[in-house]
Amino acid sequence: MKVIVDSRQNIAEAAAQGYVSFIQNKPNAVLGLATGSTPEDLYAELIKLCNQGEVTFKDVTTFNLDEYCGLAPDHPQSYRYFMQDKLFDHIDINPRNTFVPDGFRTAEEDLVAYDRAIAEHGGIDLQLLGIGGNGHIAFNEPGTSFQSITHMVELTPETRQANSRFFNSIDEVPTHAICMGMRTIMNTQNIILMAIGKNKAEAIRNTVYGDIDPKCPASVLQLHPNVTIFVDHEAGSLL
Ligand code: PGA
């Protein structure tokens, strides 16, 4: 694992430069993308760099980590909406090449189809991850099997509480989500994990130095050969 600790703005810029180099080397890269507050600065940088002609996404394909069950793509809190709003609508990506799980298709065959689509595109070259204060990655909460593939999860009260900041009330936060599994994530070629703020510090310490244990899902990343962790000074304060 490579760990980079710097200011919030500097890690966004450094990660964005990493993406530019990566896509320059592989213009048809398959990117795994994440939602949440953490990647917003990175996405803003990528929009800027794309508009400046430093990078093109015209041959890039993307697969998002997760989606709430029961929110339509045009619901302002759906992750499809987030991706359109924060990235896709502002870069030159082909909309047909952007995949987000469908929060209304929860049958086993639909979940398996997401992993199959990733495989048919040759697998994910570079996966972006945030992390929860409890060490979750995507909605893979503590206790999730390291062998899981794309699956439906029941959100924990803590995660619903944390995400209620985007909704009018906690009652509006969906109870379930579809989420790439731990095995799906571990099968990616390269991983960038980003974390900002002191409420992530313990999870980052456990990810880097803790036991490899489903109690901290992100700890499994110690077994992945190509992980770069970008944290601000607060999230890195316990390292
Ligand atoms: P955040 O979410 O980027 O909004 O902090 C990350 C996560 O919970 O995985």
Side-chain angles (χ1 to χ4, degrees):
M1 276 179 170
K2 191 169 154 197
V3 182
I4 292 153
V5 186
D6 209 326
S7 69
R8 182 179 175 152
Q9 183 59 25
N10 285 351
I11 61 170
E13 289 176 11
Q17 283 305 331
Y19 275 85
V20 170
S21 311
F22 198 90
I23 295 166
Q24 281 168 350
N25 282 331
K26 188 167 186 193
N28 63 347
V30 179
L31 304 179
L33 297 181
T35 52
S37 308
T38 310
E40 285 195 36
D41 296 344
L42 165 64
Y43 292 160
E45 281 298 317
L46 290 177
I47 291 168
K48 194 171 85 188
L49 293 167
C50 182
N51 290 331
Q52 288 170 351
E54 302 280 330
V55 63
T56 174
F57 292 83
K58 71 181 176 48
D59 295 321
V60 165
T61 297
T62 66
F63 285 90
N64 262 77
L65 283 170
D66 43 20
E67 178 60 286
Y68 286 120
C69 291
L71 297 192
D74 62 353
H75 187 292
Q77 298 311 331
S78 77
Y79 288 165
R80 165 55 79 177
Y81 187 98
F82 177 101
M83 291 309 301
Q84 295 301 137
D85 186 41
K86 304 293 185 197
L87 185 64
F88 298 152
D89 286 347
H90 312 286
I91 59 175
D92 60 350
I93 198 162
N94 180 345
R96 294 167 60 95
N97 293 343
T98 67
F99 297 86
V100 179
D102 182 336
F104 288 93
R105 304 189 69 158
T106 58
E108 192 58 33
E109 68 207 53
D110 296 317
L111 302 176
V112 169
Y114 200 67
D115 281 72
R116 196 168 52 236
I118 292 170
E120 283 167 3
H121 282 82
I124 290 173
D125 296 306
L126 176 57
Q127 177 66 54
L128 178 65
L129 298 174
I131 185 169
N134 62 3
H136 74 207
I137 45 182
F139 281 126
N140 293 297
E141 301 288 358
T144 304
S145 165
F146 287 158
Q147 294 305 324
S148 53
I149 61 166
T150 301
H151 59 298
M152 185 163 73
V153 295
E154 181 170 4
L155 303 180
T156 63
E158 295 77 27
T159 295
R160 290 185 70 230
Q161 183 64 47
N163 291 6
S164 68
R165 67 191 194 275
F166 300 113
F167 293 81
N168 291 324
S169 79
I170 190 163
D171 298 332
E172 289 181 15
V173 184
T175 55
H176 291 77
I178 295 172
C179 160
M180 257 188 219
M182 298 299 292
R183 180 141 58 98
T184 318
I185 292 168
M186 286 298 281
N187 277 341
T188 63
Q189 294 294 317
N190 300 276
I191 292 177
I192 288 180
L193 184 148
M194 300 183 79
I196 294 163
K198 65 177 183 315
N199 62 329
K200 305 292 175 72
E202 195 177 333
I204 288 296
R205 186 194 52 201
N206 291 339
T207 299
V208 177
Y209 295 122
D211 293 339
I212 299 169
D213 190 308
K215 277 192 279 196
C216 175
S219 64
V220 77
L221 299 177
Q222 292 174 30
L223 300 175
H224 191 286
N226 297 306
V227 178
T228 306
I229 297 181
F230 288 94
V231 290
D232 73 349
H233 295 290
E234 289 187 341
S237 60
L238 298 179
L239 293 176

